[in-house]
Amino acid sequence: MGATKSAGFYTAELPDYFPAMNPPDLIRQNIPLAPQTTIRLGGSARYYAECTSVDEIRACLQWAASTDRTVQVLGGGSNVLFADAGFDGLVLKIALRGLEFIGETVIAAAGEDWDSFVAACVEHGLAGVECLSGIPGLVGATPIQNVGAYGQEVQDTIVEVQAVDRQNLQEVVFSAAQCDFAYRQSRFKAADRDRYMITAVTYRLDASGLPQIRYPELRRQIGERLNSLNLGQPALTAVRETVLQLRRGKSMLVDSEDTNARSVGSFFLNPIITTEAFAKLQQQHPDIPSFPADNNVKVPAGWLVENAGFAKGFVQGGAGISEHHALALVNRGGTMADILALAGEIQNAVKKIFNIRLEREPVLIGETT
Ligand code: EPU
């Protein structure tokens, strides 16, 4: 299949697929979704397919369009909440694999495990993603919400994002500037939500191997140790190990043995408010922590949750709050309805006490009534 590049976009001739009503062989039916998610909740997918190539993605999309079925893309299942009733359309699991290192540039297929990708970069002595160690999920999800932790965000290293346009099945390439990145945000989550399926991401890293240690908690943990290390791979490895240790302590690593890790990580975004609004809040709550966010102030949602009466380890029905981090809502043997009920109560309490609306971070799929 020939592809031509024009004005930043690839266009390709579409091959002939199969008769419209026949599902491609790779589509299966009634597949439980809970085991595919880190929170381990949710019903089944009416149709389900794992796609290992762009052509398979196109075949599935074409079938879904011809039979009028909704498509939901699934990556690592670490930032998604499927309703207990399941999903009546087609869940398309991204299983494209491949990592290519070209000097400081790395092209990663969307289905590569994110943390294995970070490990490989560290191994190659390439800096830029080491603070993002231990984040669950797949490479293809990272541009969607501009994944970030400990002072790094993927927008700092992404050069290009390749995708399939679900409207016309053509391949498209976005430069980093075209992705409209912001805190946990991009065009793929905003204006173009559900329009593109990301198939590969190109990152440009730093071969000097100089780790970035901006986050105070990380700096405290690694400080002394780093001075005794050479730059490059040993220093990057030390940062990676320290981040993994920090995340493990907060149950923010995928670990089937750790019942506090049955979550989607942060359930709410850290709200960003104006300096004026923060000054008012501080008068009433002098202990409230904050972080600068351009000309505004970022307030840690974990603190708001705890100080609205939901302590670490709180349990209500089959849902609870992690014993190690107040921002993680944990499956305690219940249902998605239990999690959403608890989330709603937390939102109401935070609104009432602090007049701040907490926004959910993971994506919610399916009917929840
Ligand atoms: N805090 C509490 N109680 C808690 C946890 C946190 O009061 O139980 C307050 C403390 O003041 C603490 C502050 O929140 O200093 C920040 O906590 P932490 O360093 O754990 O980070 P976070 O703001 O809660 C964010 C990201 C995480 C990322 C960490 C580290 C968001 C929504 N979350 O969490 O990302 O790993 O920073 O950089 O921005 C995720 O998105 O799923 C995620 C885990």
Side-chain angles (χ1 to χ4, degrees):
M1 187 179 13
T4 52
K5 198 175 186 184
S6 62
F9 283 76
Y10 285 110
T11 54
E13 272 175 39
L14 296 181
D16 288 334
Y17 292 117
F18 39 81
M21 299 306 286
N22 269 348
D25 287 346
L26 71 165
I27 294 183
R28 295 184 282 148
Q29 297 196 38
N30 303 321
I31 302 296
L33 290 165
Q36 303 260 10
T37 67
T38 52
I39 197 164
R40 308 214 148 244
L41 288 175
S44 295
R46 176 81 178 84
Y47 296 96
Y48 176 93
E50 292 193 4
C51 292
T52 57
S53 70
V54 170
D55 278 347
E56 285 182 357
I57 290 175
R58 286 176 158 158
C60 288
L61 288 176
Q62 200 180 47
W63 173 77
S66 68
T67 53
D68 209 16
R69 302 201 186 273
T70 317
V71 175
Q72 177 59 45
V73 181
L74 175 64
S78 55
N79 204 44
V80 64
L81 304 168
F82 284 112
D84 295 311
F87 181 68
D88 197 35
L90 168 64
V91 170
L92 225 160
K93 166 101 177 168
I94 296 295
L96 293 98
R97 303 300 301 271
L99 267 188
E100 195 183 349
F101 285 82
I102 313 157
E104 294 186 321
T105 301
V106 192
I107 305 170
E112 285 292 323
D113 172 63
W114 171 257
D115 190 51
S116 308
F117 164 76
V118 173
C121 294
V122 166
E123 192 65 24
H124 280 75
L126 295 171
V129 288
E130 60 285 350
C131 297
L132 304 176
S133 292
I135 291 183
L138 305 182
V139 162
T142 60
I144 297 175
Q145 57 152 341
N146 182 22
V147 161
Y150 303 110
Q152 276 178 350
E153 286 182 322
V154 290
Q155 68 165 330
D156 305 333
T157 45
I158 286 180
V159 182
E160 239 174 45
V161 173
Q162 292 176 46
V164 172
D165 185 340
R166 287 166 57 166
Q167 288 179 0
N168 57 19
L169 305 190
Q170 298 207 335
E171 286 188 271
V172 188
V173 180
F174 296 97
S175 68
Q178 289 171 320
C179 292
D180 299 338
F181 290 125
Y183 165 61
R184 289 294 194 280
Q185 192 59 272
S186 76
R187 71 185 295 161
F188 308 111
K189 213 181 145 184
D192 285 330
R193 190 188 189 99
D194 292 337
R195 173 152 180 200
Y196 297 102
M197 286 190 59
I198 294 172
T199 52
V201 185
T202 304
Y203 300 84
R204 183 156 308 131
L205 301 160
D206 177 5
S208 74
L210 184 66
Q212 292 172 8
I213 309 168
R214 302 197 192 105
Y215 207 72
E217 194 180 3
L218 184 59
R219 204 176 306 129
R220 268 197 303 279
Q221 295 260 345
I222 198 164
E224 294 292 308
R225 212 167 139 214
L226 197 63
N227 296 336
S228 64
L229 293 163
N230 292 322
L231 296 182
Q233 204 255 359
L236 294 171
T237 302
V239 174
R240 172 170 165 76
E241 281 169 2
T242 308
V243 169
L244 289 176
Q245 204 181 325
L246 272 175
R247 294 189 73 95
R248 190 170 295 112
K250 295 180 185 188
S251 295
M252 291 278 187
L253 288 184
V254 175
D255 176 354
S256 54
E257 303 290 298
D258 180 353
T259 52
N260 281 292
R262 255 181 246 147
S263 79
V264 286
S266 304
F267 199 93
F268 300 108
L269 294 168
N270 286 327
I272 295 173
I273 60 176
T274 61
T275 44
E276 293 77 26
F278 181 73
K280 259 196 208 161
L281 211 54
Q282 209 176 19
Q283 279 174 0
Q284 292 155 343
H285 309 278
D287 298 341
I288 190 166
S290 65
F291 299 93
D294 296 325
N295 294 323
N296 296 310
V297 179
K298 196 188 263 186
V299 181
W303 188 92
L304 295 172
V305 171
E306 276 193 283
N307 287 274
F310 298 88
K312 294 188 189 85
F314 176 91
V315 178
Q316 175 180 287
I321 297 192
S322 162
E323 290 164 300
H324 304 137
H325 202 292
L327 203 44
L329 267 57
V330 177
N331 168 12
R332 295 278 178 218
T335 60
M336 187 54 72
D338 292 337
I339 296 279
L340 296 175
L342 176 57
E345 283 186 30
I346 293 171
Q347 282 170 317
N348 288 341
V350 168
K351 177 79 183 142
K352 201 166 157 200
I353 298 168
F354 301 105
N355 197 26
I356 290 180
R357 165 92 193 149
L358 282 184
E359 268 184 61
R360 197 181 57 231
E361 196 218 24
V363 190
L364 177 61
I365 310 296
E367 294 294 321
T368 55
T369 47

